Amino acid sequence: MFELRVRTSITAKLNAEAHPSSKYIYTATLLVRNILFVDMENKQIIFKGYIDRAPQITDMELKITNISTSELVETMEDGAVMVKNLYLSCDPYMRGRMRDFHASYIPPFRPDSVMEGFGVSRVLHSKNEVFKCGDVVTGMTGWEEYSVIHNTAQLRKIEQDPDSGNDPIPLSYYVGLLGMPGFTAYAGFYEVCSPKTGDSVYVSAASGAVGQLVGQLAKLHGCYVVGSAGTSHKVDLLKNKLGYDDAFNYKTEPDLNAALRRYFPGGIDIYFENVGGPMLDAVLLNMAIHGRIAVCGMVSQHGMSSWQGIHNLQTLIAKRVRMQGFLQSDYLHLFPRFLEDVAAYYMQGKIVYIENMNEGLESAPAAFVALFSGGNVGKQIVCVATE
């Protein structure tokens, strides 16, 4: 088991009555002066091997290893940190890392090794001048209870301001609303879509981690926004919680082309593409002149060994449509502005964010697989520990 002895200097204030949505609020510094590590168990999610189909729970396995933290600390390279993982993010791009394909923007997972993804973690030991013991950080980490992170270049310390008079932003939001999915929505909408007030905007997979924020940003920009999703419950959330002007269940529409004509009689100015396949073909027939398509993802193609082709690309010429793929990493220079803008929107109550929280590392394989069957509502997150 894991034993942690800490001598601390803590000034803390518990204000549960004033902030009922928070379990606790620390309004001071945490100084960790002495930590004694002994042997402990570390649960891990292991990637078993490459696939050419939709992910299944059996493609991953839970493994429990015994590790000596004192030995880990002694062998840590300069610049590395040891962390306790609190939240892990399930994201569709991870499916691409399960293929034996090495020409992508991110390398594949290694078979029989711990999976990795974005997470929120607490620093337990640091050989890095930027991060100290007790810091909460977000970035790439292992799908396990405890990780040693060597590549800390994109690791970011989470700074919260509990003295602002508002509830602090939930830590899990830093892998969702204020993490990679949120920034994908922000960069894709403002930089790729080039929105104008009054634009007609369509978002597919609109209740997901990215889509739910795209729609809300578009509404704040003065656009008319319609989204699609795969259940009546998700459609209700789009219209009554996320502020979409309208929404529809694509699974109950016998003719997607006719459905889009119904919602966009004047054409679609902006399409935020998350699904691909027949939906993209129908959208191409309904784009307005000089429309813009931001290609964020194509989740409908993740379960296919050979991808479907698109049949209506000729409309790009006649209607002078710009269709552009992008990665959020292309726009990292905008990340500070994104954090400031979206955090302010959230604190002001101008946007909301829906999470699908899964408890325990054991739930991670099923949580990940649910992304590709429509089983999640909102951002799919695994809670590994609550501290």
Side-chain angles (χ1 to χ4, degrees), residues 243-381:
Y244 276 67
D245 291 295
D246 217 330
F248 65 93
N249 184 345
Y250 70 91
K251 292 182 179 179
T252 62
E253 293 289 346
D255 186 337
L256 292 174
N257 181 25
L260 292 173
R261 283 202 309 269
R262 187 167 71 248
Y263 288 102
F264 297 97
I268 301 169
D269 296 302
I270 291 173
Y271 173 45
F272 202 96
E273 163 69 305
N274 289 309
V275 300
M279 180 63 78
L280 177 56
D281 260 334
V283 167
L284 287 169
L285 295 175
N286 287 275
M287 291 299 296
I289 293 176
H290 298 302
R292 288 85 71 202
I293 301 176
V295 184
C296 174
M298 294 192 174
V299 72
S300 71
Q301 306 299 294
H302 281 302
M304 299 183 178
S305 56
S306 59
W307 296 331
Q308 290 178 319
I310 303 300
H311 304 284
N312 296 321
L313 287 175
Q314 72 277 6
T315 60
L316 298 179
I317 303 169
K319 295 185 177 180
R320 288 85 82 196
V321 173
R322 174 165 55 86
M323 183 173 172
Q324 178 183 340
F326 74 100
L327 298 175
Q328 54 86 27
S329 55
D330 297 333
Y331 301 94
L332 289 178
H333 61 286
L334 299 176
F335 196 84
R337 190 179 80 189
F338 151 74
L339 280 180
E340 182 178 353
D341 289 348
V342 175
Y345 287 148
Y346 173 75
M347 299 299 281
Q348 295 164 9
K350 294 181 178 180
I351 59 174
V352 297
Y353 200 67
I354 300 172
E355 295 180 318
N356 199 77
M357 191 65 70
N358 301 267
E359 299 294 333
L361 186 66
E362 298 87 345
S363 69
F368 176 66
V369 168
L371 288 174
F372 307 98
S373 63
N376 65 298
V377 179
K379 176 73 187 93
Q380 191 80 312
I381 296 175

Side-chain angles (χ1 to χ4, degrees), residues 63-77:
K63 182 178 180 180
I64 300 177
T65 60
N66 292 311
I67 60 176
S68 170
T69 54
S70 58
E71 291 181 5
L72 279 178
V73 169
E74 289 176 2
T75 58
M76 280 172 56
E77 300 174 357

